[in-house]
Amino acid sequence: MADVVHPVHGEVHRHPAPTGFIRKWVFSTDHKVIGIQYWCLALFSVFIGMALSLLMRLQLGWPGEEWGFLKTLFPNAAENGTISGELYLSMLTMHGTIMVFFVLTTAPQGGFGNYFLPIQIGADDMAFPVLNMMSFWITFLALVVLISAFFADSLAPMFGMTAASNVIGPIGGWTGYAPLSALGEKAGPGQGLGVILWITSIALFCIASLLGALNFITTMLNMRAKGMSLMRLPLTCWAWFTTAVLALLSFPVLLAAGILLLLDHLAGTSFFIPGNSYVNGKLITEHSGGSPILWQHLFWFFGHPEVYIAILPGMGLTSHILATFARKPVFGYRVMVYALFSIGLLGFFVWGHHMFISGMSPYSAIAFSLITLTIGVPSAIKTFNWLGTLWGGQIRFTTPMLFAIGFVSLFVSGGITGLFLGQTSIDLPLHDTYFVVGHFHLIMGVAAIFGMFAGTYFWFPKMFGKMMNEGMGKLHFFITFIGVNAIFIPMHIMGMAGATRRYSFHFNPVTGEGLHYLSNMTPLTRFVSYAAFFTIAGQLIFLVNLVWSWAKGRKASENPWEATSLEWTIPSPPPHDNFAGILPEVHRGPYEYSVPGAPRDFMMQSEPGAAEVHGD
Amino acid sequence: MPTTLTTDVEIKPGIGAGGGKLGPGGDPFGSGPAGSKDWPPGWTSEDAIEPEKYRIGMWVGLASILMLFIALTSAYIVRGVPALSGGDSDWLPIAMPGVLWFTTGVLLVSSVTIEFARRALKRNEYARFKRWISLTTLFGVAFLVGQLIAWQQLAAQGVFINSHPHSSFFYLLTSLHGVHLLGGVIALSYVTVAALRMRIGFKRRTAVDVTAIYWHFMDGLWIYLFGLLFFFR
């Protein structure tokens, strides 16, 4: 072989700025464009999920009422103008799946993580830009497949299946418990094609998340700028890294479970279907010997880390924003990193606390319970360190700061109820009631969403070069903060009163049907519905603010918040390869605010100086 | 803005920037000892960081593949142990198709040949490299064909995926492993074609290295699955 050496010009950035519209905005390999794509996908999804919750609250507050617009929207499933039980369950399934996967998992990690991880560590792009692009487009495909599950009823005849006339999609909840989810059409309407599309969507989402996680981990391990030691990383990067590790190890388990469930559907196997099941008035003879509990184990082995995948980026972001606007270093930086890791690690050993009522041995329940309560320790460390960061700071109450403080508040109120539910004896009566619904909405739903809002208000100037309107932002914060507490705190009370979750109504005051012991809960249920309408309306302010700021907002400077991390050293919005070909050098920790003797109250990470103060 | 870096830039693993993809495009067709500080003209500091990046990426990817099979193993154990699966066990182990001994052997040998290929490339012995890498690819294809024959033998006995749990797991695990191995065969074919066309540059050397890691992992995984399916039933 000829050992010819051709001179080839090297480039610091491997892919030059694309010029065509398709390569630049659609199939882009630029991590910033991909970040914005993820963020837009989550924004689109969150409004679908919210619209579904609006319809569900309408049904729960006024069961049996006829609404003309429902007849138009769902001619099959709501022919009388009321939401049928199946339609309600279908909406519930879609709301849960869309929110958990396409909002809580995509925006904080795929959106902000993609955009800011490379910039904050001083790299010009992700380690594998093509994988990154594939990761987004597979996620997009997964969303398309999931939304098509809505229309399973109309699609079914095309696949040679019978159309169930009163349902729009899968009805198994986001947890898709077997054996009903595994039996197909035999288990009822929406369980045939609807569930097949639902599993397919989740399997695609798993693959996309795995590609993303691989990219995040490699990028952070291998592409940090000179001087960016591990203990100089912004806490956001640590949070994205931990999240990526959780995704890497938990999504394959969901993928495995999804494959098994799909085989039960399509290949006639019996992984999850026990023998002698009597479903829908029919004895199931085709399957035997499967274990429905196996599905729960596999699902929750994924499901518990998944809720941390949703919340951890918010924790990193909150630490980052609290320090920025309190003009103080993060209190106990090193401990914050360790606490983040412990929460992630412990998250793998507590899946059983979702299954206390599944008939598991009390001994394993005690083990799961103890480990669950142990998570309270790193969580408390984080909370107190956030308070310590705020303590004595010269706090600037900007909109991102308000949302970050709101995150801490929701994290506490949602987390405290976790300590209740983590104990077997209290969980047994509260399981499958609105207490659980209130708990997980506060902590993994709304707290994580507050993290996203904080991130949006904080980074919008960098991403789009325009400041967001502060007045509208603050109004949005107060409406949302009051609103979500008014929605979810009463749910705890309803749960203690025995209001079961996943029921399309509890008590119908018109016909007198339903659970009579809940008849005096009707005013509270309606209050929650009103609070939900109020909160959802408040989100329109956010939407208006986004569009208005994007079109007409004040131009953002390079560093409008006087923050210290690397993304604030480059123009807003950043150029194609982030640092214009010259990679930065890092000289100090990420939170050097109010350093004694320094000329300003903040020191950029790239600022050289004699005093090399570390983050802790 | 292309910037040519000079040779005196100090390279440390874990520091620097990279981007790009595993594959063709702008490869320097040189051969040089990896890790050397004296880059041939045209090489940049990035070329030195690349291998590290791909190796880390591969190990991270293997961790997720491992988790997939760990999850399936736990399903296998839960489904197979009557006390855990709820009492009414219908566990009925299938007879091992004889061809599996052959495929196992082929895969084991292929792990040795890919190692020979890698060593030959390190010593710049291209003729040997071409021979061993082509042989490995052939062994990979032979393995996959063997697995198909095993399926055929079982199907001829009337044992299908839905016959009983053990056969379900057999078909599932072999096909999942097969799909992953097929990915390895595609990567091997890519480097083999590159080798036959005398185009083994810096990047493709990395591709050979990373493919070898993957191949050994797939080999080990098969040994594990083989043991699980037929010696733990």
Side-chain angles (χ1 to χ4, degrees):
Chain A
M1 153 140 196
D3 282 350
V4 189
V5 176
H6 292 274
V8 175
H9 273 292
E11 292 169 326
V12 163
H13 55 101
R14 198 54 65 87
H15 46 89
T19 44
F21 179 80
I22 300 265
R23 301 290 301 165
K24 197 170 177 183
W25 296 111
V26 184
F27 294 105
S28 173
T29 52
D30 182 346
H31 70 102
K32 296 187 288 300
V33 176
I34 296 171
I36 292 175
Q37 286 173 329
Y38 265 117
W39 183 79
C40 291
L41 181 129
L43 192 68
F44 170 76
S45 309
V46 80
F47 273 88
I48 293 186
M50 223 157 47
L52 289 170
S53 58
L54 190 136
L55 293 173
M56 285 190 286
R57 283 317 311 182
L58 200 66
Q59 158 69 17
L60 288 169
W62 296 269
E65 299 261 340
E66 288 188 21
W67 307 92
F69 74 96
L70 285 177
K71 275 189 223 175
T72 334
L73 270 178
F74 308 106
N76 281 343
E79 53 212 340
N80 310 322
T82 57
I83 293 174
S84 64
E86 287 87 356
L87 178 58
Y88 179 85
L89 283 177
S90 173
M91 287 175 170
L92 181 143
T93 307
M94 283 294 171
H95 169 80
T97 314
I98 288 179
M99 289 299 204
V100 170
F101 290 104
F102 295 95
V103 179
L104 298 176
T105 312
T106 51
Q109 185 80 359
F112 294 126
N114 242 319
Y115 199 110
F116 288 104
L117 177 83
I119 309 186
Q120 285 193 336
I121 66 171
D124 61 343
D125 205 326
M126 281 285 192
F128 307 111
V130 176
L131 282 191
N132 205 12
M133 177 184 76
M134 280 163 62
S135 165
F136 171 75
W137 283 105
I138 296 174
T139 308
F140 181 80
L141 186 66
L143 181 62
V144 172
V145 173
L146 185 67
I147 288 178
S148 73
F150 258 131
F151 305 102
D153 207 20
S154 331
L155 294 172
M158 284 162 48
F159 292 89
M161 295 179 179
T162 48
S165 59
N166 58 349
V167 73
I168 57 166
I171 59 175
W174 87 281
T175 54
Y177 271 7
L180 289 182
S181 63
L183 278 167
E185 283 168 65
K186 291 185 280 291
Q191 300 289 64
L193 184 62
V195 169
I196 290 173
L197 289 171
W198 178 80
I199 309 169
T200 311
S201 162
I202 285 176
L204 286 170
F205 192 89
C206 288
I207 292 165
S209 297
L210 288 173
L211 294 178
L214 187 128
N215 226 337
F216 272 79
I217 294 173
T218 312
T219 305
M220 198 175 111
L221 289 180
N222 196 40
M223 297 185 47
R224 298 192 308 279
K226 193 166 178 217
M228 183 60 94
S229 62
L230 289 176
M231 284 299 145
R232 279 177 177 172
L233 284 166
L235 283 171
T236 41
C237 296
W238 274 117
W240 290 319
F241 179 74
T242 315
T243 306
V245 173
L246 291 185
L248 185 84
L249 300 180
S250 68
F251 272 107
V253 179
L254 181 66
L255 186 60
I259 293 170
L260 296 176
L261 193 63
L262 208 56
L263 286 177
D264 273 3
H265 260 269
L266 299 175
T269 55
S270 312
F271 293 111
F272 300 127
I273 309 170
N276 302 323
S277 309
Y278 189 72
V279 177
N280 249 3
K282 268 177 272 166
L283 186 68
I284 304 297
T285 49
E286 301 91 331
H287 301 273
S288 67
S291 163
I293 301 292
L294 173 61
W295 167 265
Q296 294 192 22
H297 278 293
L298 292 174
F299 183 85
W300 286 115
F301 187 87
F302 149 80
H304 200 80
E306 163 63 29
V307 305
Y308 293 152
I309 290 171
I311 194 91
L312 287 182
M315 291 187 183
L317 201 54
T318 297
S319 314
H320 198 75
I321 290 176
L322 289 183
T324 305
F325 294 108
R327 314 308 291 167
K328 275 183 68 193
V330 166
F331 187 85
Y333 173 92
R334 217 172 258 273
V335 182
M336 288 299 251
V337 175
Y338 298 150
L340 206 61
F341 260 180
S342 336
I343 293 175
L345 184 72
L346 287 170
F348 278 109
F349 303 101
V350 298
W351 77 92
H353 71 214
H354 298 268
M355 303 165 55
F356 284 151
I357 62 158
S358 70
M360 65 161 59
S361 141
Y363 298 107
S364 20
I366 286 173
F368 281 125
S369 179
L370 271 176
I371 306 171
T372 304
L373 299 183
T374 310
I375 297 184
V377 176
S379 306
I381 290 175
K382 292 205 83 78
T383 308
F384 283 109
N385 282 2
W386 286 325
L387 298 181
T389 307
L390 288 172
W391 188 265
Q394 292 171 303
I395 299 178
R396 298 176 182 173
F397 285 105
T398 58
T399 311
M401 182 62 161
L402 289 176
F403 274 103
I405 295 173
F407 176 96
V408 179
S409 158
L410 292 164
F411 182 70
V412 171
S413 41
I416 293 282
T417 47
L419 293 176
F420 286 73
L421 292 171
Q423 302 180 52
T424 328
S425 48
I426 306 180
D427 181 75
L428 291 181
L430 288 177
H431 195 93
D432 264 338
T433 67
Y434 267 78
F435 193 90
V436 178
V437 178
H439 159 71
F440 74 72
H441 272 92
L442 271 186
I443 194 151
M444 87 174 259
V446 183
I449 294 262
F450 266 51
M452 284 176 231
F453 281 140
T456 305
Y457 284 103
F458 184 63
W459 277 320
F460 189 89
K462 184 53 68 184
M463 290 162 82
F464 299 102
K466 301 280 181 68
M467 301 301 288
M468 282 186 82
N469 184 293
E470 279 286 302
M472 276 195 267
K474 284 184 177 143
L475 184 65
H476 174 221
F477 167 77
F478 283 109
I479 289 179
T480 313
F481 186 71
I482 295 168
V484 292
N485 279 299
I487 298 170
F488 297 113
I489 287 178
M491 281 193 185
H492 291 87
I493 300 164
M494 290 163 63
M496 284 188 272
T500 41
R501 63 191 278 214
R502 295 185 168 165
Y503 279 34
S504 62
F505 70 96
H506 290 121
F507 179 74
N508 184 340
V510 183
T511 60
E513 283 176 302
L515 304 169
H516 285 266
Y517 67 91
L518 290 174
S519 56
N520 55 1
M521 281 284 152
T522 304
L524 194 59
T525 312
R526 289 197 177 153
F527 172 78
V528 170
S529 290
Y530 282 125
F533 302 152
F534 170 73
T535 314
I536 289 172
Q539 304 318 303
L540 297 177
I541 301 172
F542 174 65
L543 209 56
V544 170
N545 196 354
L546 279 183
V547 176
W548 186 87
S549 306
W550 184 69
K552 296 207 158 154
R554 195 156 49 82
K555 236 181 120 30
S557 66
E558 222 170 63
N559 189 1
W561 308 121
E562 301 188 309
T564 54
S565 43
L566 290 178
E567 78 266 33
W568 305 107
T569 60
I570 54 175
S572 317
H576 169 70
D577 60 351
N578 299 346
F579 296 97
I582 305 143
L583 293 176
E585 257 187 54
V586 173
H587 297 280
R588 52 185 77 238
Y591 302 113
E592 298 205 355
Y593 293 103
S594 308
V595 179
R600 295 188 317 260
D601 79 335
F602 65 102
M603 307 277 274
M604 305 304 289
Q605 282 197 275
S606 54
E607 236 172 281
E612 295 265 303
V613 187
H614 286 278
D616 48 345
Chain B
M1 188 174 66
T3 317
T4 311
L5 296 182
T6 45
T7 52
D8 57 357
V9 174
E10 203 192 325
I11 307 302
K12 281 184 201 152
I15 292 170
K21 55 190 189 294
L22 189 66
D27 267 0
F29 303 154
S31 62
S36 154
K37 266 182 76 176
D38 303 315
W39 309 114
W43 285 11
T44 68
S45 65
E46 262 194 41
D47 293 317
I49 292 152
E50 293 285 75
E52 215 41 55
K53 183 173 89 177
Y54 290 116
R55 259 176 230 127
I56 294 174
M58 179 50 74
W59 283 112
V60 173
L62 291 181
S64 79
I65 296 176
L66 188 65
M67 280 308 288
L68 178 72
F69 284 91
I70 286 177
L72 292 170
T73 303
S74 72
Y76 181 85
I77 293 168
V78 169
R79 189 65 178 79
V81 179
L84 287 172
S85 63
D88 60 334
S89 180
D90 49 355
W91 193 256
L92 194 71
I94 59 172
M96 187 205 308
V99 67
L100 288 184
W101 283 114
F102 164 76
T103 55
T104 307
V106 163
L107 202 57
L108 271 176
V109 173
S110 76
S111 244
V112 177
T113 54
I114 198 169
E115 210 42 43
F116 284 162
R118 197 156 73 142
R119 299 246 164 105
L121 188 62
K122 234 174 223 161
R123 293 193 213 101
N124 291 335
E125 297 164 358
Y126 295 102
R128 287 169 64 90
F129 170 70
K130 273 190 284 189
R131 203 162 54 232
W132 287 121
I133 199 81
S134 318
L135 200 60
T136 311
T137 314
L138 284 181
F139 282 156
V141 174
F143 173 83
L144 288 176
V145 171
Q147 299 294 84
L148 286 176
I149 293 171
W151 284 6
Q152 224 171 23
Q153 288 179 353
L154 281 178
Q157 295 169 28
V159 177
F160 299 102
I161 187 164
N162 58 355
S163 299
H164 42 76
H166 190 242
S167 75
S168 304
F169 275 107
F170 173 79
Y171 280 102
L172 171 66
L173 292 173
T174 47
S175 47
L176 273 182
H177 175 262
V179 165
H180 282 96
L181 197 102
L182 184 65
V185 169
I186 291 170
L188 274 177
S189 321
Y190 166 72
V191 271
T192 307
V193 170
L196 294 178
R197 292 174 64 206
M198 300 278 203
R199 292 164 71 125
I200 285 291
F202 200 106
K203 265 191 174 176
R204 295 202 177 108
R205 282 166 182 263
T206 310
V208 172
D209 254 13
V210 171
T211 310
I213 297 174
Y214 185 75
W215 197 257
H216 291 318
F217 183 85
M218 281 303 135
D219 187 6
L221 183 63
W222 171 248
I223 303 296
Y224 166 72
L225 292 176
F226 187 57
L228 183 73
L229 281 167
F230 295 107
F231 301 95
F232 188 76
R233 46 184 176 168

